[in-house]
């Protein structure tokens, strides 16, 4: 398929098999993704790849802190509450996911379990934690570069038959991730990416989010 078809075929994967992901496979994904655009070729990104006991400890810490009501903590300012059309799109995909998972509005137990899957990094066998040096703050351009890298990672993984979901919940207890992944305090955690082989029997993996028509967000200037 051509690139447009390939890019459109990718979707977020939220359920994974137990098949391990080899270090060489992760290395191949990163080798492809690192050619993402980088401002002035500065390549101001770092990746911490975690699996096994380290990832299990992060899951446990995230779960314990969240259930104990510990406030979320990120390493940079972040707008949690979307409004207007952005909020509506967030709701729309949640409705899709809850529908295929059989989670009703009234089922608080299932809704909580779904939320906790995010804090467990969707039980994926591997998590890639993307960071940058805090000395680069204010870090708008640096964060833009990490976004480019993240897109490269999910496309490279998809090309090799693996799935990803870019996961904000997994690093909302950033102290936990810093501790267990040995991420230095002078690095800011940007995001994590859950990675693994898609489980074909997991209902949410059938969900494909929609995209707005170009006319809704593109303005052309100077064209005939």
């Amino acid at each position: 398929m051509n690139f447009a078809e390939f890019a459109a075929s990718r979707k977020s994967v939220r359920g994974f098999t137990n098949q391990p992901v080899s270090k060489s496979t992760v290395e191949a994904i990163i080798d492809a993704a690192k050619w993402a655009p980088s401002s002035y070729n500065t390549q101001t990104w770092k990746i911490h790849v975690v699996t096994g006991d380290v990832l299990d400890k992060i899951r446990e810490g995230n779960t314990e802190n969240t259930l104990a009501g510990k406030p979320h903590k990120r390493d940079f300012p972040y707008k949690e509450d979307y409004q207007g059309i952005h909020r509506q799109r967030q709701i729309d995909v949640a409705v899709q996911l809850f529908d295929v998972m059989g989670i009703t509005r009234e089922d608080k137990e299932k809704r909580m379990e779904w939320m906790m899957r995010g804090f467990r990094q969707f039980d994926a066998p591997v998590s890639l934690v993307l960071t940058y040096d805090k000395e680069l703050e204010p870090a708008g351009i640096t964060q833009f570069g990490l976004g480019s890298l993240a897109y490269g990672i999910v496309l490279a993984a998809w090309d090799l038959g693996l799935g990803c979901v870019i996961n904000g919940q997994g690093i909302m207890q950033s102290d936990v991730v810093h501790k267990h992944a040995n991420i230095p305090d002078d690095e800011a955690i940007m995001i994590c990416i859950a990675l693994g082989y898609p489980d074909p029997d997991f209902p949410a993996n059938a969900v494909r989010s929609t995209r707005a028509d170009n006319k809704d967000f593109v303005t052309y200037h100077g064209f005939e």
Side-chain angles (χ1 to χ4, degrees):
M1 66 179 74
N2 62 34
F3 179 75
E5 293 171 332
F6 174 71
S9 75
R10 186 207 64 83
K11 57 184 177 181
S12 293
V13 171
R14 298 175 174 85
F16 302 90
T17 69
N18 293 326
Q19 181 179 350
V21 179
S22 68
K23 183 178 178 180
S24 61
T25 298
V26 176
E27 191 76 3
I29 290 169
I30 294 172
D31 274 340
K34 70 185 181 184
W35 293 99
S38 172
S39 178
Y40 298 106
N41 195 35
T42 48
Q43 301 175 55
T44 52
W45 49 56
K46 294 182 179 179
I47 305 174
H48 298 263
V49 185
V50 295
T51 190
D53 290 342
V54 176
L55 184 51
D56 287 341
K57 289 176 182 177
I58 291 173
R59 294 191 224 277
E60 291 169 8
N62 283 348
T63 298
E64 290 173 3
N65 285 358
T66 300
L67 293 179
K70 183 176 180 179
H72 297 160
K73 180 181 181 295
R74 287 180 178 256
D75 288 352
F76 61 93
Y78 177 79
K79 185 174 180 63
E80 295 281 358
D81 299 319
Y82 292 101
Q83 303 294 329
I85 186 60
H86 308 298
R87 174 59 176 162
Q88 187 58 53
R89 290 170 183 156
Q90 186 182 28
I91 292 171
D92 289 345
V93 74
V95 169
Q96 286 181 270
L97 291 166
F98 283 10
D99 183 54
V100 299
M101 295 298 295
I103 303 173
T104 65
R105 179 182 292 274
E106 298 78 21
D107 195 335
K108 294 182 179 180
E109 184 176 344
K110 283 188 177 180
R111 289 170 70 91
M112 173 63 76
E113 167 57 21
W114 181 258
M115 183 188 76
M116 295 310 300
R117 284 182 60 81
F119 287 100
R120 297 198 310 266
Q121 303 196 28
F122 292 91
D123 299 325
V126 173
S127 177
L128 284 70
V129 183
L130 276 54
T131 73
Y132 60 89
D133 290 333
K134 289 182 178 179
E135 67 180 16
L136 295 166
E137 293 175 336
I141 292 298
T142 292
Q143 292 167 347
F144 176 85
L146 267 73
S148 297
L149 177 68
Y151 188 47
I153 288 170
V154 300
L155 287 182
W158 195 245
D159 186 49
L160 294 178
L162 287 87
C164 295
V165 60
I166 295 177
N167 176 20
Q169 288 173 307
I171 50 87
M172 280 185 179
Q173 299 286 350
S174 66
D175 291 347
V176 170
V177 186
H178 275 282
K179 175 183 176 181
H180 294 297
N182 283 322
I183 298 174
D185 290 339
D186 60 2
E187 290 181 32
I189 297 173
M190 178 79 193
I191 200 71
C192 69
I193 303 173
L195 169 72
Y197 291 94
D199 180 353
D201 297 323
F202 190 73
N205 287 346
V207 170
R208 182 179 301 282
S209 58
T210 61
R211 290 296 184 269
D213 289 334
N214 289 6
K215 63 180 176 59
D216 294 334
F217 64 94
V218 180
T219 303
Y220 291 97
H221 305 270
F223 288 84
E224 294 295 333

